[in-house]
Amino acid sequence: MTITQLQYVLAVAEHKNFTLAAEKCFVTQPTLSMQIQKVEDELDIQIFDRSKKPIQLTEIGQKIVNQAKNIVNEADRIQDIVHQQKGFIGGEFRLGIIPTIMPTLLPMFLKNFIKKHPKVKLIIEELNTEDIIFKLNNGHLDAAIAATPLNEEKIKEVVLYFEPFVAYIPENHESFSKKEIEISDLNLDEILLLQDGHCFRDSVLNLCKNNNNSENNHFQIESGSFETLIKLADEGLGTTLLPYLHTLDLKEKDQLKLRQFKEPKPAREVSLIYPKNELKIHIIDALRTSISGVVKGAIAFQNVEIISPKATK
């Protein structure tokens, strides 16, 4: 059997459909089906149960797929070894970034990274944490930037920085007069949240889990945009929490509404994450160096308390 045949097997295992798998592999469906049939004939077993819709792996098929992933990864490592030996930093690199990090962090490092490593073709996707984990585990991303810890067995985490939470308090709120606030000042019922699926939302819920002390819920809104939450807060509809880097781009009049937390400041841990097989590690190291360099000067906080995004799940 060949590496290409194993790649076809992995594609069908992922998409559970021969036609879709063929499209993703850029071959015709008959070609893909024939090659997979050759593998099954060679091994004298059935990898897929074609009688079920969608197509399912047989018990032995699941074991073969697990091993095929290892074989394909190790095959990719050969080219990786050659690149590292030659000191070559280039080629296609697929990077995922969660939505609450991408708008602020990407402009900080992308231009300099491209200038320093012009032979790297970055393909960047904005994805939630769940999709990032899936794509990393299935070989569709080389690395990602996300809030951690995730504690995923097959994923390695390298911390880039710790980003404090900052409260956005409108002028008509009782806490506006305070120079610094405490976690006990937060009331979950009046905090405007990002919509479900954002790990920053989960961190806020975990931070405020003991502060749900109001029974006067006149409305509930969840948005995918910090800008929307800020505008609603300005209308007197509540307060919100922002990641520190996001606050750097606010207008001067909005900066006056920001309140830092007393130490230890609640913060999220932001890491560069990638599969433990460490393919393309030379590009991963270059990314880590670029990002750490620009963020180090922007975030000077030392005494922080990490709020895990997974604690609420």
Side-chain angles (χ1 to χ4, degrees):
M1 70 190 73
T2 66
I3 297 297
T4 299
Q5 287 173 328
L6 293 180
Q7 290 172 332
Y8 293 165
V9 169
L10 293 178
V12 175
E14 178 184 349
H15 298 290
K16 297 180 173 59
N17 181 285
F18 278 83
T19 301
L20 183 55
E23 291 176 359
K24 297 297 182 180
C25 294
F26 303 103
V27 296
T28 64
Q29 189 269 327
T31 297
L32 180 136
S33 297
M34 180 182 65
Q35 293 301 322
I36 291 177
Q37 186 64 57
K38 284 184 177 181
V39 175
E40 291 179 320
D41 291 344
E42 179 180 342
L43 297 174
D44 194 25
I45 53 92
Q46 189 175 20
I47 299 175
F48 299 103
D49 184 348
R50 295 163 174 80
S51 66
K52 295 183 179 179
K53 300 294 183 182
I55 293 168
Q56 298 294 316
L57 286 165
T58 61
E59 184 176 352
I60 186 64
Q62 182 62 66
K63 294 179 181 179
I64 289 172
V65 164
N66 292 340
Q67 186 61 32
K69 289 179 180 179
N70 295 331
I71 294 171
V72 172
N73 283 336
E74 290 305 313
D76 290 340
R77 188 184 294 278
I78 294 175
Q79 187 64 57
D80 205 40
I81 291 171
V82 173
H83 284 167
Q84 290 186 56
Q85 179 66 29
K86 293 180 177 179
F88 175 75
I89 300 180
E92 185 176 286
F93 191 87
R94 298 157 298 176
L95 179 69
I97 309 178
I98 61 173
T100 59
I101 291 177
M102 187 165 178
T104 51
L105 181 62
L106 191 60
M108 293 177 70
F109 78 86
L110 183 59
K111 184 177 180 179
N112 287 336
F113 180 84
I114 292 173
K115 184 177 180 180
K116 189 172 182 179
H117 305 288
K119 294 182 180 179
V120 176
K121 180 183 178 181
L122 276 180
I123 300 174
I124 303 169
E125 290 186 76
E126 183 176 276
L127 301 164
N128 63 35
T129 303
E130 183 178 354
D131 289 338
I132 280 175
I133 292 172
F134 176 83
K135 290 200 169 193
L136 283 173
N137 285 332
N138 286 277
H140 300 314
L141 287 178
D142 297 304
I145 301 170
T148 53
L150 299 176
N151 301 315
E152 292 289 329
E153 180 182 357
K154 298 179 180 179
I155 294 176
K156 187 171 184 178
E157 303 174 1
V158 176
V159 177
L160 294 170
Y161 57 91
F162 300 102
E163 183 174 27
F165 298 172
V166 181
Y168 186 86
I169 310 291
E171 296 175 359
N172 61 352
H173 194 274
E174 59 185 358
S175 295
F176 180 79
S177 60
K178 297 182 178 182
K179 293 183 178 180
E180 290 184 312
I181 65 170
E182 300 181 63
I183 294 175
S184 58
D185 293 326
L186 301 176
N187 179 354
L188 182 57
D189 284 339
E190 66 176 21
I191 293 179
L192 302 164
L193 294 170
L194 291 175
Q195 64 192 23
D196 196 16
H198 289 270
C199 60
F200 191 81
R201 165 199 166 91
D202 296 332
S203 296
V204 172
L205 290 173
N206 186 42
L207 177 66
C208 305
K209 61 186 177 182
N210 296 320
N211 295 1
N212 191 6
N213 49 28
S214 171
E215 297 181 357
N216 298 317
N217 289 342
H218 299 295
F219 75 99
Q220 178 179 353
I221 184 168
E222 297 174 0
S223 171
S225 163
F226 283 124
E227 285 69 27
T228 298
L229 300 183
I230 289 172
K231 290 178 180 179
L232 292 174
D234 286 338
E235 291 296 321
L237 297 176
T239 63
T240 194
L241 297 183
L242 306 171
Y244 176 76
L245 290 180
H246 187 88
T247 68
L248 300 181
D249 294 328
L250 293 182
K251 297 178 181 178
E252 185 176 351
K253 65 181 181 65
D254 292 330
Q255 294 272 354
L256 297 175
K257 301 167 189 175
L258 299 176
R259 295 296 180 270
Q260 304 286 345
F261 283 89
K262 292 182 178 179
E263 294 187 346
K265 300 176 186 294
R268 64 174 174 177
E269 178 183 274
V270 176
S271 298
L272 186 60
I273 64 176
Y274 50 91
K276 287 185 176 179
N277 58 31
E278 296 189 345
L279 288 172
K280 303 185 181 180
I281 192 65
H282 52 305
I283 300 179
I284 292 171
D285 287 340
L287 267 174
R288 177 181 55 79
T289 300
S290 293
I291 295 170
S292 297
V294 296
V295 174
K296 185 177 180 180
I299 300 180
F301 300 96
Q302 299 297 324
N303 190 8
V304 297
E305 178 182 2
I306 304 306
I307 307 300
S308 173
K310 277 205 165 186
T312 59
K313 293 184 178 180

